[in-house]
Amino acid sequence: MTIDDVTAVASTAIFTIIKCAAPLLLVSLCVGLIVSIFQTVTSIQEQTLTFVPKILAIFLGLIVMGHWIMNNMVEYMTMLWSDFSVYIR
């Protein structure tokens, strides 16, 4: 296994991680921004108010996007296992 192979596997892994995590992080960011604007407008400074909507939004995002995320991860692992003979040389 050459340095180019290691670099290709690592870059593909990082790209897969970013591709799978980005939708849920964006959902969390948007919900956090909306809750923050709501807190500013209403002058409510409750710390726990930010966590519950974010948790619910992430859970809903996992329900909606979970199949797509799992397919991406399975596709990456299938690619790794199918090229296993290249890695052990």
Side-chain angles (χ1 to χ4, degrees):
M1 190 168 176
T2 65
I3 293 175
D4 293 334
D5 293 334
V6 173
T7 305
V9 169
S11 66
T12 308
I14 291 171
F15 180 72
T16 303
I17 290 168
I18 291 170
K19 187 170 63 170
C20 291
L24 296 176
L25 291 175
L26 287 174
V27 165
S28 177
L29 177 72
C30 291
V31 169
L33 182 64
I34 291 168
V35 169
S36 180
I37 290 171
F38 175 75
Q39 282 183 324
T40 302
V41 169
T42 60
S43 298
I44 297 173
Q45 297 302 322
E46 181 65 31
Q47 296 295 324
T48 58
L49 184 63
T50 59
F51 295 115
V52 174
K54 278 186 185 180
I55 289 172
L56 292 176
I58 293 290
F59 184 66
L60 184 64
L62 277 174
I63 289 172
V64 171
M65 308 251 340
H67 183 69
W68 177 78
I69 292 170
M70 186 58 90
N71 279 340
N72 281 330
M73 292 191 309
V74 166
E75 181 181 308
Y76 176 69
M77 287 306 297
T78 303
M79 184 206 55
L80 280 180
W81 283 104
S82 66
D83 295 338
F84 191 70
S85 62
V86 174
Y87 306 139
I88 59 174
R89 278 193 239 159

